[in-house]
Amino acid sequence: MATTPRMKITYSTLSADNEELQSAFDAALEHARASLGQSYPMIIGAERRNSDRTFEDRSPIDRSLVVSRFPLGTAGDVRDAIAAARAAYPGWRDTPWRDRLAIMRRAAELISERAFDYAALMALEVGKNRLEALGDVEEAADLLRYYSDEFEKADGFVKPMGSLSAAEKTRSVLRPYGVFAVISPFNFPMALAGGPAAGAMIAGNTVVLKPSSDAPLLGWKFGEALRDAGLPDGVFNLVTGPGETVGAELETNPGIDGMVFTGSYEVGMRLYRGFTQDYPRPIITEMGGKNPAIVMPSADLDEAAEGVMRSAFGYDGQKCSANARVYVHRDVARPFIDKLVERTRGIRTGDPTERDNWMGPVINQRALDKFTDAVATTRADGGTIEVGGDADASVGYYPTPTVVSGLPLDHRLFHDELFVPFLVVGEVDSLDQAMHEANDTAYGLTAGIFSRNDAEIRTFLDTIQAGVVYVNRRAGATTGAWPGIQSFGGWKGSGSSGKGGLGPYYVQQFLREQSQTIIGE
Ligand code: NAD
């Protein structure tokens, strides 16, 4: 394992010029490459379960690289994992919460110590660049810390209440539900497997995780850190395999008391409708986005172009918060587009494990097909490819960062989430029109505005229908969130709970209230 330099890593403090960081990553990468192709088991209670039937987790950087092999889990494996989680639940629930938090904080420290090793594997597994991969790992560690701190601040969610007589004492106690299923996406393979699992476990629930089949390894590594931190067997279980079988069993099995899903709108809404049958069970669905940025005439156009470029093309447009559409005021449209094109041309693409490459591949062939289809549709429907439009699938899945203009504002490319580095720019005549277009979508995840006009900024903040919003942000028009700083959750078709991950109201969602009135205590 490579030595990790002691430094606080966040997305904003990471710097490509930090030599200590870069050489630590080089060492970790060498180590990670040497470990490729291993087989990993599922985690079911104390058992490490293998199977004759496995699937390959291949790198989008280079299809010939098998990153890991995992069992093709079955419904029976899920049932066993649920049984293990149910058996572990009473012990975990009754563990004093300070002891639970101590384990979680120890796991956070282990993840930070191993950040470079985990990040190097992540870069290979999902094609993130070095800094994005390090950020994802550190975010997972910080989620464990932040949710633990919030639980502690609330004193374990036991609150003395009023009383109607001297003989009677009442308290409100938030208590866990039981077993939570966590279904995670490929794009933040540690933070979005680990964060929801951490929320559930800190609150006293046990967990069955099903990671994305495009990124099972980092979910497994999260489990490894938990085990090494001393988590009792059965509190965290992991079953790998397809959504259609493993995910479906988690959806329908009555042994699951609650669920957190992060992924696409289509799958999330299916689960949201299907999860509740005989009586309500909590389900948190964090879903997609088609995140808009608005650029007004008073904007600093360099700041706007930089912020849009970073959010549209960071991790290849594969962040749920990616900036996918821009509404720019007609008066400044051409100079804005020119600046954006210039910056986009400057993006270095290629193998993202190389330190100078900022953009890498998209996750799989399906994603690359979506990209080439969007380019073809733009051409067929009379749009202009301002920059990009090419793809190279010879080794991995590499699209070029693409900006298009000239499509009608009601075109489907302004509305459908693509999750690839493809940005549509439309011209508007007023802020009212921009707001109407920005809100005219099923999604409501993130949004941004560039303007120096206070009234415009106020209108934007008052009327935008999105859970995470940014004003004049050069570092990212619509992206960027950190535990304890930006809560991250969608409105409308982007999220069901109205309470963001990474924020102060998250852990409570894994708890239900019990009012306890006791006479003569
Ligand atoms: P996806 O919906 O394809 O898959 C997500 C998970 O669901 C995977 O583990 C997958 O195996 C599983 N799954 C698939 N079919 C299932 C079924 N029938 N039953 C149960 N589980 C099933 O999403 P993805 O491609 O991995 O991730 C990208 C999507 O996630 C984008 O839409 C993105 O916007 C969204 N996302 C949202 C957030 C957020 O916080 N709102 C964060 C990250 C990603």
Side-chain angles (χ1 to χ4, degrees):
M1 207 163 271
T3 321
T4 297
R6 294 308 300 173
M7 63 181 86
K8 177 72 183 167
I9 295 169
T10 71
Y11 290 111
S12 51
T13 54
L14 290 170
S15 155
D17 302 328
N18 186 327
E19 284 304 325
E20 191 191 5
L21 181 148
Q22 295 290 358
S23 52
F25 195 93
D26 284 333
L29 192 59
E30 203 176 309
H31 188 256
R33 283 189 186 281
S35 75
L36 293 186
Q38 283 181 31
S39 293
Y40 294 82
M42 296 184 285
I43 304 171
I44 298 177
E47 186 188 346
R48 300 292 174 266
R49 183 176 294 183
N50 290 296
S51 162
D52 294 342
R53 298 182 63 224
T54 59
F55 65 94
E56 289 176 339
D57 169 26
R58 284 181 181 264
S59 175
I61 297 171
D62 174 346
R63 278 188 300 275
S64 69
L65 292 180
V66 177
V67 176
S68 61
R69 290 184 173 82
F70 273 89
L72 214 44
T74 62
D77 295 321
V78 178
R79 286 194 285 274
D80 292 346
I82 294 171
R86 295 213 75 77
Y89 171 60
W92 184 241
R93 176 196 63 201
D94 298 340
T95 300
W97 60 261
R98 286 186 181 78
D99 297 346
R100 290 204 304 262
L101 266 46
I103 295 173
M104 293 295 149
R105 286 171 170 150
R106 211 155 43 234
E109 287 315 297
L110 291 177
I111 291 171
S112 290
E113 275 170 26
R114 300 169 182 176
F116 283 76
D117 288 301
Y118 288 169
L121 286 170
M122 185 189 296
L124 290 164
E125 186 176 44
V126 298
K128 279 196 179 194
N129 73 28
R130 307 175 154 213
L131 303 184
E132 293 277 1
L134 278 166
D136 189 329
V137 173
E138 269 300 317
E139 186 179 347
D142 257 16
L143 283 166
L144 284 163
R145 296 187 188 101
Y146 177 71
Y147 295 151
S148 295
D149 292 350
E150 288 300 300
F151 201 89
E152 189 165 48
K153 248 195 264 169
D155 206 15
F157 294 102
V158 178
K159 198 175 164 63
M161 302 294 282
S163 117
L164 292 176
S165 87
E168 183 177 297
K169 281 212 174 87
T170 301
R171 58 186 174 235
S172 156
V173 184
L174 292 189
R175 308 192 63 197
Y177 283 88
V179 179
F180 262 78
V182 174
I183 300 181
S184 58
F186 78 84
N187 66 334
F188 282 84
M190 191 168 255
L192 288 178
M201 291 185 293
I202 285 166
N205 302 279
T206 56
V207 164
V208 180
L209 169 69
K210 191 211 95 61
S212 162
S213 298
D214 283 319
L217 183 55
L218 269 294
W220 196 91
K221 291 285 172 186
F222 182 75
E224 174 187 71
L226 292 171
R227 181 201 60 200
D228 294 348
L231 189 76
D233 290 333
V235 176
F236 176 87
N237 305 275
L238 177 139
V239 182
T240 47
E244 292 71 22
T245 49
V246 171
E249 182 64 26
L250 289 170
E251 175 189 348
T252 52
N253 193 304
I256 294 289
D257 300 293
M259 177 181 279
V260 188
F261 166 85
T262 313
S264 61
Y265 173 85
E266 291 69 26
V267 177
M269 283 308 297
R270 243 205 61 166
L271 289 171
Y272 190 78
R273 293 190 189 100
F275 187 59
T276 296
Q277 298 293 334
D278 296 337
Y279 56 85
R281 297 189 285 182
I283 173 165
I284 301 170
T285 52
E286 305 286 1
M287 299 176 285
K290 184 76 175 179
N291 309 296
I294 295 171
V295 181
M296 296 304 291
S298 64
D300 174 333
L301 294 186
D302 287 304
E303 184 178 79
E306 180 76 16
V308 166
M309 183 278 284
R310 297 193 77 82
S311 286
F313 303 124
Y315 189 34
D316 282 60
Q318 297 177 114
K319 297 181 187 177
C320 42
S321 53
N323 184 194
R325 50 196 175 119
V326 173
Y327 300 107
V328 56
H329 195 283
R330 205 172 298 284
D331 293 352
V332 291
R334 192 30 57 191
F336 167 75
I337 292 172
D338 288 346
K339 285 175 188 292
L340 177 60
V341 166
E342 185 193 325
R343 278 173 173 74
T344 305
R345 280 194 211 289
I347 294 174
R348 289 195 56 143
T349 54
D351 179 342
T353 63
E354 288 175 17
R355 65 182 279 177
D356 293 330
N357 288 337
W358 188 69
M359 248 183 73
V362 291
I363 191 69
N364 53 29
Q365 184 66 50
R366 213 169 46 248
L368 198 65
D369 290 346
K370 272 194 185 174
F371 173 84
T372 47
D373 175 66
V375 171
T377 302
T378 302
R379 292 205 170 101
D381 293 351
T384 304
I385 311 278
E386 299 278 355
V387 60
D390 301 315
D392 176 0
S394 53
V395 179
Y397 310 107
Y398 291 90
T400 49
T402 298
V403 177
V404 311
S405 65
L407 290 170
L409 300 185
D410 61 357
H411 194 280
R412 74 170 174 84
L413 292 177
F414 275 101
H415 296 275
D416 298 348
E417 184 188 45
L418 301 177
F419 225 55
V420 294
F422 182 93
L423 176 73
V424 276
V425 180
E427 296 184 19
V428 291
D429 293 308
S430 65
L431 180 63
D432 278 354
Q433 188 188 4
M435 292 308 306
H436 171 79
E437 294 297 337
N439 286 333
D440 185 21
T441 167
Y443 296 114
L445 190 48
T446 72
I449 189 170
F450 292 90
S451 163
R452 294 287 160 201
N453 179 314
D454 289 345
E456 285 175 355
I457 292 170
R458 178 55 43 205
T459 300
F460 170 79
L461 291 174
D462 287 347
T463 54
I464 189 71
Q465 296 165 4
V468 196
V469 302
Y470 306 86
V471 177
N472 293 326
R473 191 150 174 283
R474 184 186 281 270
T478 63
T479 51
W482 198 258
I485 298 175
Q486 287 96 355
S487 301
F488 196 88
W491 290 11
K492 297 167 33 182
S494 294
S496 65
S497 76
K499 311 279 188 301
L502 289 59
Y505 311 113
Y506 190 67
V507 176
Q508 292 91 315
Q509 299 182 98
F510 298 92
L511 295 157
R512 51 187 167 181
E513 188 174 15
Q514 186 171 63
S515 171
Q516 299 179 344
T517 297
I518 301 164
I519 310 295
E521 191 182 44

